[in-house]
Amino acid sequence: MFSAKPMKPTFRSYLPPPQTDLKSNIEPPVKLEPKFLPGEIVVNEANFVRKCISTDSSQGDLWGRLICTNFKVSFIPQDPPPKQKSQLSHLLLGQHDISLTCLEQVVTVNDTRGKRKVLGSNKKLKFNPAELILYCKDLRVIRFCFDEAGPESAKKVCLAIAHYSHPADLNLLFGFEYQGLRYHHYKGDLVNGSTPRGGIQTPIFDCPSDWDREIKRTGASEWRVCSINQKYIISESLPEYIVVPVSLTDQDVKSYSLSFNDGRVPLWCWNHRNGSALVRMAGSTEPLNQRKTEQKIFTAITKSHPQRREVTVSDLDKALPNIQDIQSAFVKARQICTLDPFEESEERWLSSIENSRWLEYVRMFLKFSAEVVYSLDGKNVSVILLEEEDRDLNCVVSSLVQLMLDPHFRSLNGFQSLVQKEWVMAGHRFLDRCNHLKKNENKESPLFTLFLDCVWQMTNQYPAAFEFTEAYLTVLSDSMWIPFFSTFLFNSSKQCSQVLQDFAKNKAIPPTEDHTVIFPPVWKWSQQFSSRDQTLFNNPMYVGKGAACVQNGEVKSFQRSKKAFSSTVRISSTSQRNGLKGEEDTLQRRGSLISGLRGDFSPVKDESPAERFFRDWFSHPADLQGVLIPLVLPSHVVLWKLFFLRWVLEACIPKGGPATVYHKVSQLVDEIDTLQSKLRQYKGASPHSTPVPSPSGPPPGQRRMYFKASSADEPPTSPNVLNSSFPFNPVGNLCRRGVQGTPISKFLNGAKTWLSTETLANDTF
Amino acid sequence: MEKSGSIDSLGSKPSSSRQPSVDSLSSTSTSRSDRSAQAKPPSALSSDSVSTSTEFSPELRVKPKAAAKKAHRDSDKEEPQLLPNETVQDMAHDITYFCPFTGALRGTVMVTNYRLFFKSMDREPGFMLDLPLGVVSRVEKIGNASSRNDVSYGVVCKDMRNLRFAHKHLEDTLKKSVFEVLMKFAFPVSNGLQIFAFEYGQVFPENGWKVYDPISEYKRQGIPNESWRITKVNDQFELCDTYPSTLVVPVNIPDEELKRVAAFRAKGRIPVLSWIHPESQATVTRCSQPMVGVNGKRSKEDEKYLQTIMDANAQSHKLFIFDARPSVNAAANKMKGGGFESEDAYQNAELVFLDIHNIHVMRESLRKLKDVVYPNIEDSHWLSNLESTHWLEHIKLILAGALRIADKVESGKTSVVVHCSDGWDRTTQLTALSMLMLDGYYRTIRGFEVLLEKEWLSFGHRFQLRIGHGDKNHTDADRSPVFIQFIDCVWQLTRQFPAAFEFNEYFLVTILDHLYSCLFGTFLCNSEQQRLKEEIPKRTISLWSYINSQLEEFTNPMYVNYSNQVLFPVVSLRHLELWVGYYIRWNPRMKPQEPIHQRYKELLAKRAELQRRVDELQREVTNRSVSSSSERAGSPTRSITPVQTMV
């Protein structure tokens, strides 16, 4: 069946695949047994299934058992290949497992004619499948062949996978089963541990105190927490506690809510130190009365501004692509990056990427957000982000603006609280946008992925400004497809609390129990990863808050930065951090001296104030603890390779890629941490005089860097195991449709026409 | 370590985060030449040119102390500090410079025998433009600018920018415009003047002309050995006037036979050794095309010669001949007497065409690229515009060719012969790049200098013709960005392997800047023979003198020297990027300079400081325990071992 001579790889015309490199640092093979979680049951399985590893040949293919459970598709290889070290391993999913929620499309292929059928729930299959191709939402493409499997069992397992990946109801997602059992199993631990909120440090914003703290942190003294939406009486999609101008009474809020879609009164997001507020707002239900209501609210927002500045309204629907545009751009980008044959797509790679429009959209959102930053920071006016429903584009822009303006959100916990506040609590429809139930494709849109890409662009441009790594962002996006976290399962906080109430009732959990305990958000990372693997989230280059504090102690450097930023309205980091308000806000604009120097010949006639603001900003070194504006030249918004190409073996740089830098810096930072802890040891008597490496860091004794400095008892990790997909492993995770089978298909492969016809299109028959 | 201070303050100052230390530089500030650092007050002035192209902005590299001094000087309206033997030729006020980024500026132009200097105090901060004349490709008088009375000049530069100036129509028709003076000094060769490199009198601690010694480089490679010998047959450049005097050839071929082989190779450029694998003995050899011609001429000596090259490597019974050209071009060369090796004549040889286009195609491609990136990038269609220049595609083909060569030598243990038509453009790109992939030595700063001296300069890449130093004939068809393309390829490698190179991006940009500047003698002339005739090493300064006198600035702090690591880049457009730090650096919105490197240096300083404090405390504790040893038997001293350093 297989030719003895391995086929020549076509995907990289210059070199054989780098598998030898990938195997160089490996653990000895272990006999694998299927692992099941509490409540997980096997639905169907087939033996003698072949998992394809490379696109072009059967070399390295694995034989084993394909299992479908109520949670995942699992493959248990008979002779597992040695496992790689330095690779992220998931606590709930094995190397060859795919969560059912992660399945985008289940496709079977007929052996004789190569016809494809996309399987849905309760579909019938008229032929015995030769192949099963699983297209995953995390961009993997996994392929199984049934050439040696029993035809009936192959068919059954395919149908089972298709059926179980299309749950009829939210409650049927395995997370509900799992979390219920987990709760009872660990109840004792949870109570004894007595850590509030299950040990999650990220504010959830489901209680007034979280909002209060945010008000205080940002110095928004003219804003207050309003409980009028308790029990969701004015809006189904707003959180129970919202922040409104102090001049509005609860009654005002309630009556104004009638004018907005779904009762969504304008929602406070964030306050600038200069007093400007960022507010998000939905469109109107009754255009006639709208202006009046709007005026009243705008007046109230103006009143909450220390200089009583008029508000600026930014209409996102007019300026930015809609959710269908974004979805179609993503589908195209995915097609180009992962599905189109590698070599054939080389020639038109750049224009294909451009035609997908994904990068264009990323750039539009960054640019739009930067303009809002100018209004808040440069013009010192409050900004209202207007979107018809206030649940999609507004989430992206409001969180990006805050990321640019407030260094707090660039820390790991700050970032998580931002997602919690502007996405989860603001009512982003994760359930619909992720299309977890595969019910309505029109509502599917990767808004959150778009946001993560925008964040990545900023981390790429300012590598020391964020506490987290791109591996973190990628893992966060992957977590959307695991049905265990309350974060990504619901359309609103109301839906969340209702579903979880019923859930608690069904699972005999006391109704008083905290939601975050019974159904934890994704932020409880110990659900997914070991504490060592979680260190992959820590950016060794991060210049954190602690560091900046010290900077202010240094008069000299402070003066310099003040001078450097004097022409902008940038607020120095002192006031921001100390929670002081005011004194820095007296803006130091350009002196009149300049106009004196400038002759009758005005050099820049048509530069707008915004352009000048940006030019000024870019002409000085960026203060990583201050405002951070991304470069939005088309040449500087680039493809997020780890996200889009991590499974593409052909694109994997052996012994290279950004991971080699990460490795090197991590080792150095680990040395620094070690030295610091030694200093603390010496100064044990006076602990207050020594700095703590990271306020959010793990408890002492636990090292926060993934790669350790070499020491006597611990040899350093060899960088030879690194590649550009680190910490992910591309091997076997992206098998485009292969060409095993008829001679004609082999011939077609030679002509390189066969593969190019494959798309994700529903070419069912 | 120049950084000091409390542990807390180290590496955490945002204001210092982009200020590499320049202590090591203070003594060479006058030598900083065309980057015009010597005249750049760090905060008082800015410009769209070299100084604010943030990536390598000298203003960010100047010490605060020096900065204050310079700012003061500037307020006195002093002019830039001139280089040794640099003299002012003309000066004019009331000149308008049309900055494509910020608009028109009025100021003063000064022309010296080395540079054009424009300064405007129109705006705060002030603005300066400092341009070595070597960069000028052509100066054009453009009719009337904004009004009838204005005369406008366009200065087209070799480094991806165009400048436009204007001044009032001169009443006194006898007085020359400052731009006519510029034309005279920008093209010294055409005007019977001397290139400034011959006058520049700076003294550096190191003599860069001593960087490359062929004998010791071949010795490093293990040559001579039983199969290869060093020959002096070309000592007087009689065998081949575009080759170096020192050549490495197979032991079994006597010098007399070499001459017969030379007769069959274009311009006498016989196959000679560039690199030998330390273990397998597989070699990279380079040459020009065989003179096959339309009649399919053969040369027994040449065939034997290649067979000998193959035999010198016992590991393989095959020889790969990589012809850099597209097969069509190679075939077309037969009309001109050239061609390629037929596999009939050369048994055991396999011929592979690498499809790399000629110098004219490359020149056109870069011209298109300039249109796309300068002065501004259009908001839409960036990627398809970039694609239409084919620049990255050419880069890909060159890298792919080099990768195939490296792979054959490393993985296939097979010797390779590389040629194109003359063997001084594409061949040089390919051998140099494959050697960079194969041999970590060339990835160090000095190793890279050796690589350039060897593969590019000594083997006769025609820099004078390709760049046209001091020559006004800007349409010369011999000009081509072959070397720029090579440096671009090197940059692509550094992107894929950020820890594998000892040098940083600034090193590469500096080399390209001085490719044009005519400040150093390194890139003058076309061959070793010409350089000796012109006494270049005696009469000019080497670029490596300047670079090696301040290595710190050009060092990649992330460098890890893995022995024997061969780099196999992924040659795919998915990873090839436009080198924005070079091609788009004039745009003031450019990306900030290497923040990762900067951050790493800060962390290094922080570690050093911590180590110092730990050592201090340890000493204290040790002293204390010595003085009262009975008291503290189990003191923490025991548990504290110095952290191993891994830089």
Side-chain angles (χ1 to χ4, degrees), chain B residues 441-459:
Chain B
Y441 170 67
Y442 299 122
R443 303 195 283 264
T444 65
I445 289 180
R446 281 170 195 278
F448 191 77
E449 292 167 0
V450 166
L451 184 70
L452 293 190
E453 286 285 347
K454 179 175 181 303
E455 289 301 303
W456 286 87
L457 292 156
S458 83
F459 276 98

Side-chain angles (χ1 to χ4, degrees), chain A residues 36-287:
Chain A
F36 302 113
L37 296 172
E40 189 175 359
I41 45 165
V42 174
V43 177
N44 219 309
E45 61 177 281
N47 275 309
F48 307 109
V49 176
R50 180 161 58 91
K51 182 184 175 179
C52 302
I53 296 300
S54 114
T55 307
D56 307 276
S57 74
S58 54
Q59 218 190 1
D61 282 1
L62 298 173
W63 292 88
R65 238 165 103 194
L66 180 64
I67 304 171
C68 174
T69 76
N70 52 346
F71 164 49
K72 65 177 181 254
V73 177
S74 191
F75 178 77
I76 312 296
Q78 256 168 358
D79 304 298
K83 195 178 171 295
Q84 260 183 271
K85 278 182 194 163
S86 295
Q87 179 193 322
L88 193 63
S89 56
H90 203 279
L91 296 177
L92 305 172
L93 291 160
Q95 202 188 342
H96 301 281
D97 294 350
I98 311 140
S99 145
L100 290 170
T101 326
C102 187
L103 292 178
E104 168 88 29
Q105 213 173 45
V106 179
V107 175
T108 49
V109 184
N110 186 337
D111 53 349
T112 47
R113 286 182 297 167
K115 280 213 173 176
R116 299 154 49 86
K117 183 172 168 76
V118 178
L119 293 182
S121 182
N122 281 325
K123 282 262 174 76
K124 291 224 166 70
L125 194 54
K126 286 178 195 152
F127 57 81
N128 289 326
E131 275 181 33
L132 170 69
I133 306 176
L134 300 176
Y135 294 94
C136 305
K137 295 198 179 185
D138 60 6
L139 310 192
R140 283 183 291 170
V141 179
I142 309 222
R143 200 155 62 91
F144 298 102
C145 292
F146 299 117
D147 25 21
E148 298 289 307
E152 272 307 306
S153 68
K155 192 172 179 174
K156 275 185 188 152
V157 80
C158 290
L159 289 170
I161 291 168
H163 183 71
Y164 277 81
S165 59
H166 289 74
D169 189 81
L170 181 60
N171 295 305
L172 295 174
L173 287 175
F174 179 69
F176 290 90
E177 184 67 27
Y178 171 75
Q179 296 292 17
L181 288 165
R182 186 199 55 94
Y183 173 80
H184 288 294
H185 192 262
Y186 292 108
K187 195 161 57 181
D189 299 353
L190 292 170
V191 174
N192 292 342
S194 72
T195 42
R197 318 228 74 173
I200 298 159
Q201 287 172 3
T202 302
I204 300 298
F205 290 100
D206 59 349
C207 55
S209 60
D210 284 347
W211 290 101
D212 247 336
R213 220 171 294 124
E214 194 63 7
I215 287 175
K216 292 214 175 67
R217 194 185 64 79
T218 59
S221 55
E222 296 297 307
W223 296 80
R224 68 178 183 93
V225 183
C226 164
S227 314
I228 190 74
N229 198 35
Q230 261 181 325
K231 308 282 173 212
Y232 305 98
I233 56 163
I234 67 162
S235 168
E236 304 248 311
S237 62
L238 286 182
E240 287 190 274
Y241 305 97
I242 56 176
V243 176
V244 298
V246 285
S247 57
L248 293 184
T249 65
D250 283 6
Q251 210 40 54
D252 292 337
V253 173
K254 190 169 181 180
S255 65
Y256 297 157
S257 71
L258 297 171
S259 312
F260 294 94
N261 279 334
D262 192 36
R264 289 182 71 101
V265 285
L267 191 62
W268 175 88
C269 306
W270 184 79
N271 243 59
H272 193 289
R273 280 291 147 190
N274 64 20
S276 316
L278 179 67
V279 177
R280 49 194 287 178
M281 180 172 98
S284 141
T285 47
E286 37 181 66

Side-chain angles (χ1 to χ4, degrees), chain B residues 484-600:
Chain B
I484 294 113
Q485 219 168 19
F486 164 73
I487 296 290
D488 191 330
C489 290
V490 175
W491 180 81
Q492 304 284 352
L493 291 177
T494 66
R495 291 289 289 176
Q496 294 199 18
F497 303 96
F501 292 83
E502 193 193 11
F503 48 83
N504 58 18
E505 184 179 17
Y506 177 53
F507 175 73
L508 298 176
V509 172
T510 303
I511 289 174
L512 286 187
D513 278 348
H514 290 294
L515 172 66
Y516 305 121
S517 75
C518 291
L519 186 63
F520 300 103
T522 301
F523 296 115
L524 301 182
C525 301
N526 290 318
S527 64
E528 189 174 295
Q529 185 196 30
Q530 281 186 17
R531 256 170 238 120
L532 281 177
K533 197 175 145 224
E534 296 289 329
E535 299 183 290
I536 298 285
K538 269 189 210 154
R539 296 168 58 208
T540 71
I541 311 288
S542 162
L543 172 58
W544 317 131
S545 304
Y546 163 68
I547 283 180
N548 294 349
S549 301
Q550 49 195 71
L551 286 173
E552 165 75 2
E553 256 205 289
F554 302 105
T555 304
N556 170 14
M558 317 295 304
Y559 175 56
V560 186
N561 182 13
Y562 304 122
S563 49
N564 300 330
Q565 191 193 349
V566 178
L567 306 184
F568 289 126
V570 172
V571 183
S572 154
L573 283 167
R574 283 149 172 91
H575 284 296
L576 301 181
E577 300 164 61
L578 184 74
W579 186 8
V580 292
Y582 181 70
Y583 301 110
I584 314 187
R585 64 183 163 147
W586 310 122
N587 193 319
R589 286 274 189 95
M590 249 298 301
K591 190 167 181 157
Q593 61 145 18
E594 307 174 276
I596 294 179
H597 290 187
Q598 203 37 54
R599 181 76 187 123
Y600 194 79

Side-chain angles (χ1 to χ4, degrees), chain A residues 351 354 541 631 651 678 719, chain B residues 384 387 562 575 589 599 641:
Chain A
S351 49
E354 179 177 292
M541 272 173 285
L631 284 143
K678 276 177 190 169
Chain B
S384 50
E387 185 175 273
Y562 304 122
H575 284 296
R589 286 274 189 95
R599 181 76 187 123
T641 46

Side-chain angles (χ1 to χ4, degrees), chain B residues 303-330:
Chain B
E303 288 161 24
K304 179 185 162 201
Y305 190 78
L306 290 199
Q307 181 66 36
T308 316
I309 290 175
M310 195 200 85
D311 292 340
N313 168 19
Q315 306 256 1
S316 170
H317 301 291
K318 207 163 187 158
L319 181 72
F320 271 86
I321 302 173
F322 285 101
D323 188 327
R325 302 165 292 185
S327 57
V328 186
N329 299 28

Side-chain angles (χ1 to χ4, degrees), chain A residues 234-455:
Chain A
I234 67 162
S235 168
E236 304 248 311
S237 62
L238 286 182
E240 287 190 274
Y241 305 97
I242 56 176
V243 176
V244 298
V246 285
S247 57
L248 293 184
T249 65
D250 283 6
Q251 210 40 54
D252 292 337
V253 173
K254 190 169 181 180
S255 65
Y256 297 157
S257 71
L258 297 171
S259 312
F260 294 94
N261 279 334
D262 192 36
R264 289 182 71 101
V265 285
L267 191 62
W268 175 88
C269 306
W270 184 79
N271 243 59
H272 193 289
R273 280 291 147 190
N274 64 20
S276 316
L278 179 67
V279 177
R280 49 194 287 178
M281 180 172 98
S284 141
T285 47
E286 37 181 66
L288 287 178
N289 289 334
Q290 184 63 13
R291 275 196 75 80
K292 259 196 197 157
T293 314
E294 273 181 5
Q295 256 330 306
K296 286 179 190 156
I297 289 175
F298 292 174
T299 308
I301 295 174
T302 300
K303 272 191 199 158
S304 288
H305 192 290
Q307 281 98 41
R308 305 286 180 271
R309 294 283 177 85
E310 292 283 317
V311 299
T312 297
V313 179
S314 282
D315 190 338
L316 276 68
D317 290 319
K318 281 186 188 146
L320 294 166
N322 63 35
I323 61 163
Q324 282 87 24
D325 295 338
I326 293 165
Q327 167 71 3
S328 103
F330 183 73
V331 168
K332 283 181 200 153
R334 176 177 58 193
Q335 173 80 33
I336 297 157
C337 292
T338 60
L339 301 176
D340 286 347
F342 190 84
E343 211 38 62
E344 284 82 341
S345 51
E346 271 291 287
E347 199 184 337
R348 306 269 298 151
W349 173 257
L350 295 174
S351 49
S352 303
I353 287 292
E354 179 177 292
N355 291 338
S356 79
R357 309 193 75 172
W358 178 256
L359 290 182
E360 180 187 333
Y361 293 164
V362 166
R363 198 164 78 87
M364 283 168 84
F365 274 90
L366 285 170
K367 203 172 171 186
F368 191 91
S369 305
E371 277 154 17
V372 175
V373 166
Y374 162 66
S375 296
L376 286 163
D377 186 63
K379 285 189 354 201
N380 189 8
V381 295
S382 293
V383 176
I384 297 176
L385 305 175
L386 170 64
E387 185 203 358
E388 198 48 39
E389 292 205 304
D390 182 28
R391 297 171 74 177
D392 290 306
L393 310 183
N394 269 0
C395 300
V396 183
V397 173
S398 70
S399 31
L400 283 176
V401 169
Q402 292 172 64
L403 213 53
M404 293 176 197
L405 284 167
D406 190 341
H408 168 68
F409 295 121
R410 297 174 216 140
S411 70
L412 187 66
N413 264 324
F415 181 75
Q416 299 186 156
S417 77
L418 183 68
V419 173
Q420 198 60 35
K421 180 161 72 87
E422 298 302 327
W423 292 80
V424 182
M425 281 301 147
H428 178 65
R429 291 185 177 89
F430 275 109
L431 181 62
D432 291 348
R433 297 295 173 250
C434 294
N435 200 13
H436 285 314
L437 304 181
K438 302 189 174 62
K439 285 217 167 106
N440 192 341
E441 284 178 4
N442 296 333
K443 289 184 183 170
E444 187 171 348
S445 185
L447 268 300
F448 191 63
T449 307
L450 179 81
F451 165 65
L452 294 180
D453 197 330
C454 292
V455 177

